[in-house]
Amino acid sequence: MSGIQLKNVTKRYKDSESETIALDHVSLTVNKGEFVAIIGPSGSGKSTFLSIAGALLQPSEGEVFIKDRAISTLSEKELAHVRLEQIGFILQTSNLIPYLTVLDQLLVVVKMKGAITEELKQTASELLTDLGLGNKLKKFPNELSGGERQRVAIARSFMNDPDVILADEPTANLDTARAYEVVQLIAKEVRSRNKAAIMVTHDERMLKDCDRVYRIEDGVLKEEKNV
């Protein structure tokens, strides 16, 4: 079963004088356990792609399926549920809450769904330990390095056991060594937890841990060969 599939997705933006095609009949299937990268210059359509894949933006044409369920006809309330329960986001900046400890950064995600149980606390602790943060659970963001903060963000994205992980330039603010480490950790967690993952990046050094690589230019998506 595929984790996420985009079928012939087109996104047009119109104003009174012209029409811009941000995505042009894009199709992509990412199965569980696969880690796919999309590369391309600024303005190529990467952000639009990610917004549509993440149920934040509706396509003008085409369809997005998550676990073989079409999401274009869902209500805004249902889409919010999809974003909370089926999609984990990793952003350029870790976006941690300054006054919460590392452990509480994960528990606040769970709190959106209901009560925090001891079992969920254990899940959060295990996720953080798996990412090398077992001794940082009570630390605050300002006590962490940039790489550690991004690892907390990775752990947070897996906290609700989503079907799909979407990473938007997750290495943008890291030095090369920390960037490699972060991508390797994402790849490891995606495969061990059997998630479908897409990473959008302009950094072509970060591709060796990906199963497939696609290039997007002028809204057109093509698979790169022999990467």
Side-chain angles (χ1 to χ4, degrees):
M1 182 188 285
S2 67
I4 185 166
Q5 182 179 30
L6 283 78
K7 270 190 176 177
N8 289 318
V9 167
T10 295
K11 183 63 180 176
R12 297 187 183 88
Y13 294 101
K14 294 181 182 177
D15 60 29
S16 56
E17 296 179 12
S18 63
E19 176 181 272
T20 302
I21 299 177
L23 289 182
D24 192 358
H25 294 91
V26 165
S27 293
L28 175 67
T29 300
V30 183
N31 295 312
K32 288 183 174 184
E34 278 193 313
F35 185 28
V36 168
I38 295 178
I39 56 176
S42 214
S44 58
K46 298 195 304 291
S47 295
T48 302
F49 174 94
L50 214 58
S51 295
I52 289 174
L56 295 163
L57 189 65
Q58 292 279 22
S60 306
E61 292 173 22
E63 184 58 90
V64 179
F65 299 85
I66 294 178
K67 269 181 79 177
D68 298 332
R69 178 195 187 197
I71 66 171
S72 68
T73 56
L74 300 183
S75 68
E76 192 47 55
K77 187 176 180 182
E78 287 171 320
L79 285 172
H81 254 283
V82 168
R83 290 191 292 269
L84 178 61
E85 297 187 0
Q86 292 189 268
I87 302 171
F89 294 94
I90 306 169
L91 305 175
Q92 283 185 38
T93 52
S94 56
N95 283 343
L96 302 184
I97 300 167
Y99 53 83
L100 292 183
T101 65
V102 165
L103 183 63
D104 285 338
Q105 302 286 340
L106 272 63
L107 296 178
V108 77
V109 176
V110 177
K111 204 169 181 180
M112 295 177 190
K113 293 172 70 175
I116 296 170
T117 62
E118 285 304 314
E119 186 181 357
L120 287 168
K121 286 182 183 177
Q122 184 64 27
T123 298
S125 181
E126 286 171 1
L127 255 173
L128 290 161
T129 300
D130 200 33
L131 286 161
L133 295 163
N135 61 345
K136 307 279 185 180
L137 302 186
K138 295 182 179 178
K139 299 286 187 185
F140 290 91
N142 66 345
E143 300 176 281
L144 304 176
S145 69
E148 287 169 341
R149 287 195 291 271
Q150 199 63 323
R151 277 190 267 160
V152 176
I154 294 168
R156 183 179 58 192
S157 75
F158 284 91
M159 186 61 205
N160 275 346
D161 195 24
D163 301 293
V164 178
I165 299 291
L166 299 177
D168 182 10
E169 303 275 7
T171 62
N173 298 315
L174 301 175
D175 61 49
T176 300
R178 296 291 170 271
Y180 280 130
E181 179 186 89
V182 160
V183 173
Q184 286 166 357
L185 284 168
I186 295 171
K188 177 174 85 76
E189 294 298 317
V190 162
R191 289 170 187 137
S192 67
R193 297 175 189 278
N194 204 30
K195 307 301 180 189
I198 301 172
M199 174 176 69
V200 164
T201 183
H202 69 274
D203 191 343
E204 299 191 22
R205 299 170 300 169
M206 299 299 145
L207 304 177
K208 64 183 179 64
D209 289 296
C210 299
D211 297 303
R212 283 178 283 138
V213 176
Y214 291 80
R215 184 176 295 276
I216 190 166
E217 287 185 12
D218 298 325
V220 177
L221 189 73
K222 292 181 180 175
E223 187 170 1
E224 292 272 277
K225 303 299 182 185
N226 304 319
V227 173

